[in-house]
Amino acid sequence: MRPAVDREAYGRSAARLAVLGLFLAVAGCRTTTPPPLIPPFTPLPTPKPTPPPTPPKPLPPKAPKTTGKLEVPRLKEWRYIVIHHSGTDSGSAKKFDQFHRNVKHWDSLGYHFVIGNGHGSRDGEIEVGPRWVAQQHGAHTATSGNAYNNYGIGICMVGNFDAKAPTPAQMQAITDLVAYLQDRCKISNRNIKLHRDCKDTRCPGRKFTKEMLLARLPNRASGPSFWSRDSLLLNWLK
Ligand SMILES: [Zn+2]
């Protein structure tokens, strides 16, 4: 008879276990949160937009090598650069200084700078005159009102450019000097003048043109730039 009792007991135990299991399953449903199958969505951090690379600022033109003092602490209010040739085959600042004192009876060399051609001074040598050192007006382009002498930096290139073009070293020197003076004195390309632009003369000869110089300058635009003294903005504000 034992097996019948056991079967009965077994049946009861199984029923209890089933009830318990059901209870636990229901209770479990209520209390346990199943782990999420897909992890919660975390948005990726938005990458910061990379700013476009800033173009490097153009460096100011390097001061050219000169004979005499080019860097002066205080500048006169210069508005023009006036270019001349000497009309002679040779020359130097000293030679022209003597001529201007002794023959013209001026107090010193009329130009602010002289650029040599290898005859009388070195080829491409930039000599600084006393008028630049003292920031004194020039004596090179007399006109009514004298604007070019009062506000013009006078540069004389040695040579007769009606007969012969400037040497490559002279062209390099005038380019470097003009670019430097433009930057320091804020002079636009428009205010770079040849002597013949200011009065009735052939100086500085037909083999030197303004275009030859402008083509070599870092700031090739021929109009006044915003910073120049004769710029449209400044004129409008006046
Ligand atoms: Zn001249």
Side-chain angles (χ1 to χ4, degrees), residues 82-86 111 140-141 155 194-196 201-204:
V82 187
I83 299 168
H84 305 259
H85 73 160
S86 66
Y111 310 113
H140 49 86
T141 310
I155 304 173
L194 306 187
H195 193 181
R196 63 173 169 261
T201 168
R202 278 166 38 198
C203 176

Side-chain angles (χ1 to χ4, degrees), residues 89-95 116-122 125 127 158:
D89 293 337
S90 66
S92 65
K94 195 176 167 192
K95 205 96 192 241
N117 68 347
H119 303 280
S121 52
R122 278 182 285 118
E125 178 181 5
E127 293 185 278
V158 178

Side-chain angles (χ1 to χ4, degrees), residues 99-115:
F99 177 71
H100 288 170
R101 283 175 198 268
N102 303 335
V103 180
K104 300 254 186 187
H105 304 292
W106 297 341
D107 50 1
S108 67
L109 174 69
Y111 310 113
H112 295 96
F113 298 96
V114 174
I115 298 177

Side-chain angles (χ1 to χ4, degrees), residues 226-238:
F226 75 93
W227 46 258
S228 65
R229 285 212 174 98
D230 59 336
S231 74
L232 296 175
L233 175 66
L234 288 184
N235 279 327
W236 179 74
L237 290 170
K238 270 178 196 169

Side-chain angles (χ1 to χ4, degrees), residues 57-62 71 74-81 132 135 151-153 177-193 217 219 221-232 234-235 238:
K57 259 189 168 181
L59 292 171
K62 254 175 68 182
E71 304 277 358
R74 279 192 65 150
L75 289 169
K76 183 176 145 67
E77 191 203 332
W78 299 111
R79 294 178 192 164
Y80 308 99
I81 292 168
W132 176 257
Q135 289 294 287
Y151 302 105
I153 303 167
L177 181 60
V178 167
Y180 168 82
L181 293 172
Q182 276 193 287
D183 182 66
R184 274 215 73 194
C185 307
K186 305 293 175 246
I187 296 171
S188 68
N189 286 357
R190 198 175 72 172
N191 280 8
I192 298 171
K193 305 283 183 192
L217 288 173
N219 177 27
S222 53
S225 58
F226 75 93
W227 46 258
S228 65
R229 285 212 174 98
D230 59 336
S231 74
L232 296 175
L234 288 184
N235 279 327
K238 270 178 196 169

Side-chain angles (χ1 to χ4, degrees), residues 33-41:
T33 316
L37 292 176
I38 302 164
F41 174 72

